[in-house]
Amino acid sequence: MEAINFDYSKAVNFFKKAEMDNLSPFAKIALHNLKEKEGVGAEFTDWVDWPKDFLQSEIERINQTAQKIRENSDVLVVIGIGGSYLGAKAAIDFLNHSFYNLLAPSQGFPQIFFAGNNISSTYLNDLIEVIGERDFSINVISKSGTTTEPAIAFRILKEKMIDKYGKEEAYQRIFATTDQSKGALKKEADENNYESFVIPDGIGGRFSVLTPVGLLPIAVSGAHIEKILQGARFARENYLVDDLENNQAMQYAVLRNIFYRKGKVNELLVNYEPNLNAFGEWWKQLFGESEGKDQKGIFPCSANFSTDLHSIGQIIQDGQRNLFETVLNIQTARKEIEIPRLEENIDGLSYLEGEMMSSVNQMAYKGTMIAHTDGSVPNLIIDLPAMNEETLGQLIYFFEMAVSLSGYLNGVNPFDQPGVEAYKRNMFALLGKPGYEDISKELSQRI
């Protein structure tokens, strides 16, 4: 298997080797605490060994269920929020045709839509119109079953499904990914005999893409989930090495810490392929929710070049020097197209005639990297051999390992998210949810 490669050669002018050497012992301690479950949040680190421990029988059941959905449904609606949908959306976009949902019906695959990740009545009504009278299935993903956004969407779409099919058939079209033993969704799934998959207790939502949370919808899209896990297993062997010189995930974590200490408090994840846009959204949650604590943390942003060079390129080049870039560089395009030759040079592109578009994209990447580093923006490069399952599995594991080490280096628990609860408490109080009466009056006076 060809490995992804982390390259920091375009950032060496922005730090001293001694800085990496000084942090090396602390990075090794962080890795030890992660591997041995001796660090804070250790109860949520089962993802470390998950690629090798995941049962083959469960992989086969996921594939069988995915085949069932493909055979009886024109649409799959995945209901979830945060880690319950971002990883699946990122993977499906990464691995499939740029216009998957438009082509899926003609290729024997269901369209895959996501719901329960917002509270927009317009969005949900529009989705119901798109489904129309076609056959559909639901994969509802929630540890508790009471998270507001997915719970509302599930209640509404479940009613539509029951109206269409009746309870008996509707319940055969609902697939629940939830807690193993407790929670409202688990109780409902048991009572109604939904086929169910388990969200492991020891893996938090933003680390769950390689569990049934992500793998079921990914499998429905036709991807080979075994190959994704194979890539993650390969990465695990590389990133559990207790040696900064040979552990690229550790290098990335250390360099992020160095840049943060130098005032580079914003990180821009850059891609040059639109199919990676959703991956940037997954990455933002992984890093933002893992590191943003105790008034600390690098703010994660993402951008699609060359598109965004025509919108935010100016501020990157000449704005405040408080950011660095991590670039996802696809080395082999999935598809090629040649720039045609014309008799007249009307558009001024005669110098590109006969060139492949991917070559132009590569020159855009290299030219941008030179310009931005000249403008004092460090560039960290992650070379991806191709956009396939093995590469995706490696990349997911690389970032999960790196953010865990980075959080430990910065003195925070990378596996909790206490700040997420603040908005929920206020929303519940303003909506009159029982148990929040003590703060509802005060909040009502503040709005």
PDB file of all heavy atoms in Angstrom, residues 218-236:
ATOM      1  N   ILE A 218     -21.474   4.887   4.126  1.00  0.00           N
ATOM      2  CA  ILE A 218     -20.382   4.818   3.153  1.00  0.00           C
ATOM      3  C   ILE A 218     -20.527   3.562   2.298  1.00  0.00           C
ATOM      4  O   ILE A 218     -20.346   3.593   1.075  1.00  0.00           O
ATOM      5  CB  ILE A 218     -19.011   4.837   3.870  1.00  0.00           C
ATOM      6  CG1 ILE A 218     -18.782   6.188   4.550  1.00  0.00           C
ATOM      7  CG2 ILE A 218     -17.879   4.552   2.888  1.00  0.00           C
ATOM      8  CD1 ILE A 218     -17.588   6.210   5.489  1.00  0.00           C
ATOM      9  N   ALA A 219     -20.853   2.436   2.938  1.00  0.00           N
ATOM     10  CA  ALA A 219     -21.025   1.181   2.210  1.00  0.00           C
ATOM     11  C   ALA A 219     -22.201   1.260   1.248  1.00  0.00           C
ATOM     12  O   ALA A 219     -22.152   0.698   0.140  1.00  0.00           O
ATOM     13  CB  ALA A 219     -21.217   0.027   3.192  1.00  0.00           C
ATOM     14  N   VAL A 220     -23.266   1.943   1.633  1.00  0.00           N
ATOM     15  CA  VAL A 220     -24.427   2.084   0.751  1.00  0.00           C
ATOM     16  C   VAL A 220     -24.026   2.769  -0.558  1.00  0.00           C
ATOM     17  O   VAL A 220     -24.536   2.440  -1.631  1.00  0.00           O
ATOM     18  CB  VAL A 220     -25.554   2.871   1.460  1.00  0.00           C
ATOM     19  CG1 VAL A 220     -26.682   3.212   0.472  1.00  0.00           C
ATOM     20  CG2 VAL A 220     -26.114   2.070   2.629  1.00  0.00           C
ATOM     21  N   SER A 221     -23.063   3.695  -0.484  1.00  0.00           N
ATOM     22  CA  SER A 221     -22.623   4.418  -1.685  1.00  0.00           C
ATOM     23  C   SER A 221     -21.794   3.555  -2.624  1.00  0.00           C
ATOM     24  O   SER A 221     -21.442   3.999  -3.724  1.00  0.00           O
ATOM     25  CB  SER A 221     -21.815   5.649  -1.285  1.00  0.00           C
ATOM     26  OG  SER A 221     -20.496   5.292  -0.880  1.00  0.00           O
ATOM     27  N   GLY A 222     -21.474   2.332  -2.196  1.00  0.00           N
ATOM     28  CA  GLY A 222     -20.706   1.420  -3.045  1.00  0.00           C
ATOM     29  C   GLY A 222     -19.232   1.342  -2.711  1.00  0.00           C
ATOM     30  O   GLY A 222     -18.482   0.610  -3.362  1.00  0.00           O
ATOM     31  N   ALA A 223     -18.778   2.071  -1.698  1.00  0.00           N
ATOM     32  CA  ALA A 223     -17.363   2.044  -1.319  1.00  0.00           C
ATOM     33  C   ALA A 223     -17.016   0.732  -0.615  1.00  0.00           C
ATOM     34  O   ALA A 223     -17.870   0.088  -0.001  1.00  0.00           O
ATOM     35  CB  ALA A 223     -17.039   3.224  -0.414  1.00  0.00           C
ATOM     36  N   HIS A 224     -15.748   0.344  -0.714  1.00  0.00           N
ATOM     37  CA  HIS A 224     -15.264  -0.872  -0.060  1.00  0.00           C
ATOM     38  C   HIS A 224     -14.752  -0.516   1.337  1.00  0.00           C
ATOM     39  O   HIS A 224     -13.618  -0.050   1.498  1.00  0.00           O
ATOM     40  CB  HIS A 224     -14.149  -1.502  -0.893  1.00  0.00           C
ATOM     41  CG  HIS A 224     -14.577  -1.923  -2.266  1.00  0.00           C
ATOM     42  ND1 HIS A 224     -15.345  -3.047  -2.497  1.00  0.00           N
ATOM     43  CD2 HIS A 224     -14.376  -1.344  -3.486  1.00  0.00           C
ATOM     44  CE1 HIS A 224     -15.583  -3.162  -3.796  1.00  0.00           C
ATOM     45  NE2 HIS A 224     -15.006  -2.140  -4.419  1.00  0.00           N
ATOM     46  N   ILE A 225     -15.596  -0.733   2.333  1.00  0.00           N
ATOM     47  CA  ILE A 225     -15.227  -0.304   3.681  1.00  0.00           C
ATOM     48  C   ILE A 225     -14.063  -1.120   4.244  1.00  0.00           C
ATOM     49  O   ILE A 225     -13.312  -0.636   5.087  1.00  0.00           O
ATOM     50  CB  ILE A 225     -16.438  -0.342   4.636  1.00  0.00           C
ATOM     51  CG1 ILE A 225     -17.024  -1.756   4.741  1.00  0.00           C
ATOM     52  CG2 ILE A 225     -17.491   0.654   4.177  1.00  0.00           C
ATOM     53  CD1 ILE A 225     -18.142  -1.865   5.773  1.00  0.00           C
ATOM     54  N   GLU A 226     -13.898  -2.362   3.755  1.00  0.00           N
ATOM     55  CA  GLU A 226     -12.748  -3.159   4.211  1.00  0.00           C
ATOM     56  C   GLU A 226     -11.440  -2.460   3.831  1.00  0.00           C
ATOM     57  O   GLU A 226     -10.466  -2.482   4.597  1.00  0.00           O
ATOM     58  CB  GLU A 226     -12.775  -4.555   3.607  1.00  0.00           C
ATOM     59  CG  GLU A 226     -14.003  -5.379   3.979  1.00  0.00           C
ATOM     60  CD  GLU A 226     -15.107  -5.283   2.931  1.00  0.00           C
ATOM     61  OE1 GLU A 226     -15.195  -4.237   2.249  1.00  0.00           O
ATOM     62  OE2 GLU A 226     -15.888  -6.243   2.811  1.00  0.00           O
ATOM     63  N   LYS A 227     -11.392  -1.854   2.654  1.00  0.00           N
ATOM     64  CA  LYS A 227     -10.181  -1.180   2.214  1.00  0.00           C
ATOM     65  C   LYS A 227      -9.921   0.087   3.031  1.00  0.00           C
ATOM     66  O   LYS A 227      -8.767   0.453   3.279  1.00  0.00           O
ATOM     67  CB  LYS A 227     -10.276  -0.847   0.728  1.00  0.00           C
ATOM     68  CG  LYS A 227     -10.255  -2.066  -0.175  1.00  0.00           C
ATOM     69  CD  LYS A 227     -10.285  -1.654  -1.648  1.00  0.00           C
ATOM     70  CE  LYS A 227     -10.229  -2.874  -2.567  1.00  0.00           C
ATOM     71  NZ  LYS A 227     -10.264  -2.475  -4.000  1.00  0.00           N
ATOM     72  N   ILE A 228     -10.993   0.776   3.434  1.00  0.00           N
ATOM     73  CA  ILE A 228     -10.820   1.951   4.299  1.00  0.00           C
ATOM     74  C   ILE A 228     -10.177   1.534   5.617  1.00  0.00           C
ATOM     75  O   ILE A 228      -9.222   2.163   6.092  1.00  0.00           O
ATOM     76  CB  ILE A 228     -12.173   2.642   4.557  1.00  0.00           C
ATOM     77  CG1 ILE A 228     -12.776   3.145   3.248  1.00  0.00           C
ATOM     78  CG2 ILE A 228     -12.007   3.789   5.555  1.00  0.00           C
ATOM     79  CD1 ILE A 228     -14.167   3.725   3.390  1.00  0.00           C
ATOM     80  N   LEU A 229     -10.692   0.442   6.197  1.00  0.00           N
ATOM     81  CA  LEU A 229     -10.136  -0.049   7.464  1.00  0.00           C
ATOM     82  C   LEU A 229      -8.717  -0.572   7.272  1.00  0.00           C
ATOM     83  O   LEU A 229      -7.863  -0.431   8.159  1.00  0.00           O
ATOM     84  CB  LEU A 229     -11.036  -1.137   8.043  1.00  0.00           C
ATOM     85  CG  LEU A 229     -12.390  -0.634   8.564  1.00  0.00           C
ATOM     86  CD1 LEU A 229     -13.340  -1.794   8.804  1.00  0.00           C
ATOM     87  CD2 LEU A 229     -12.213   0.169   9.851  1.00  0.00           C
ATOM     88  N   GLN A 230      -8.448  -1.160   6.119  1.00  0.00           N
ATOM     89  CA  GLN A 230      -7.088  -1.615   5.826  1.00  0.00           C
ATOM     90  C   GLN A 230      -6.123  -0.427   5.811  1.00  0.00           C
ATOM     91  O   GLN A 230      -5.016  -0.500   6.348  1.00  0.00           O
ATOM     92  CB  GLN A 230      -7.063  -2.342   4.480  1.00  0.00           C
ATOM     93  CG  GLN A 230      -5.695  -2.914   4.112  1.00  0.00           C
ATOM     94  CD  GLN A 230      -5.715  -3.600   2.757  1.00  0.00           C
ATOM     95  OE1 GLN A 230      -6.766  -3.789   2.142  1.00  0.00           O
ATOM     96  NE2 GLN A 230      -4.545  -3.964   2.260  1.00  0.00           N
ATOM     97  N   GLY A 231      -6.548   0.674   5.202  1.00  0.00           N
ATOM     98  CA  GLY A 231      -5.720   1.879   5.202  1.00  0.00           C
ATOM     99  C   GLY A 231      -5.495   2.405   6.604  1.00  0.00           C
ATOM    100  O   GLY A 231      -4.383   2.838   6.950  1.00  0.00           O
ATOM    101  N   ALA A 232      -6.531   2.365   7.431  1.00  0.00           N
ATOM    102  CA  ALA A 232      -6.397   2.828   8.810  1.00  0.00           C
ATOM    103  C   ALA A 232      -5.470   1.920   9.613  1.00  0.00           C
ATOM    104  O   ALA A 232      -4.687   2.391  10.452  1.00  0.00           O
ATOM    105  CB  ALA A 232      -7.777   2.898   9.472  1.00  0.00           C
ATOM    106  N   ARG A 233      -5.532   0.619   9.362  1.00  0.00           N
ATOM    107  CA  ARG A 233      -4.620  -0.310  10.057  1.00  0.00           C
ATOM    108  C   ARG A 233      -3.178  -0.032   9.671  1.00  0.00           C
ATOM    109  O   ARG A 233      -2.269  -0.056  10.516  1.00  0.00           O
ATOM    110  CB  ARG A 233      -4.988  -1.758   9.724  1.00  0.00           C
ATOM    111  CG  ARG A 233      -6.237  -2.260  10.412  1.00  0.00           C
ATOM    112  CD  ARG A 233      -6.359  -3.770  10.305  1.00  0.00           C
ATOM    113  NE  ARG A 233      -6.609  -4.203   8.939  1.00  0.00           N
ATOM    114  CZ  ARG A 233      -7.833  -4.319   8.397  1.00  0.00           C
ATOM    115  NH1 ARG A 233      -8.902  -4.023   9.120  1.00  0.00           N
ATOM    116  NH2 ARG A 233      -7.984  -4.727   7.151  1.00  0.00           N
ATOM    117  N   PHE A 234      -2.955   0.225   8.397  1.00  0.00           N
ATOM    118  CA  PHE A 234      -1.621   0.561   7.898  1.00  0.00           C
ATOM    119  C   PHE A 234      -1.112   1.830   8.585  1.00  0.00           C
ATOM    120  O   PHE A 234       0.039   1.907   9.028  1.00  0.00           O
ATOM    121  CB  PHE A 234      -1.692   0.749   6.386  1.00  0.00           C
ATOM    122  CG  PHE A 234      -0.392   1.111   5.742  1.00  0.00           C
ATOM    123  CD1 PHE A 234       0.595   0.157   5.521  1.00  0.00           C
ATOM    124  CD2 PHE A 234      -0.149   2.418   5.329  1.00  0.00           C
ATOM    125  CE1 PHE A 234       1.799   0.498   4.907  1.00  0.00           C
ATOM    126  CE2 PHE A 234       1.045   2.770   4.714  1.00  0.00           C
ATOM    127  CZ  PHE A 234       2.018   1.808   4.503  1.00  0.00           C
ATOM    128  N   ALA A 235      -1.986   2.834   8.700  1.00  0.00           N
ATOM    129  CA  ALA A 235      -1.614   4.084   9.351  1.00  0.00           C
ATOM    130  C   ALA A 235      -1.325   3.868  10.831  1.00  0.00           C
ATOM    131  O   ALA A 235      -0.385   4.449  11.383  1.00  0.00           O
ATOM    132  CB  ALA A 235      -2.732   5.114   9.183  1.00  0.00           C
ATOM    133  N   ARG A 236      -2.132   3.026  11.468  1.00  0.00           N
ATOM    134  CA  ARG A 236      -1.928   2.765  12.891  1.00  0.00           C
ATOM    135  C   ARG A 236      -0.523   2.258  13.158  1.00  0.00           C
ATOM    136  O   ARG A 236       0.132   2.674  14.128  1.00  0.00           O
ATOM    137  CB  ARG A 236      -2.977   1.754  13.376  1.00  0.00           C
ATOM    138  CG  ARG A 236      -2.827   1.363  14.841  1.00  0.00           C
ATOM    139  CD  ARG A 236      -3.849   0.303  15.240  1.00  0.00           C
ATOM    140  NE  ARG A 236      -3.562  -0.176  16.581  1.00  0.00           N
ATOM    141  CZ  ARG A 236      -2.678  -1.104  16.875  1.00  0.00           C
ATOM    142  NH1 ARG A 236      -1.984  -1.699  15.876  1.00  0.00           N
ATOM    143  NH2 ARG A 236      -2.466  -1.479  18.122  1.00  0.00           N
TER     144      ARG A 236
END
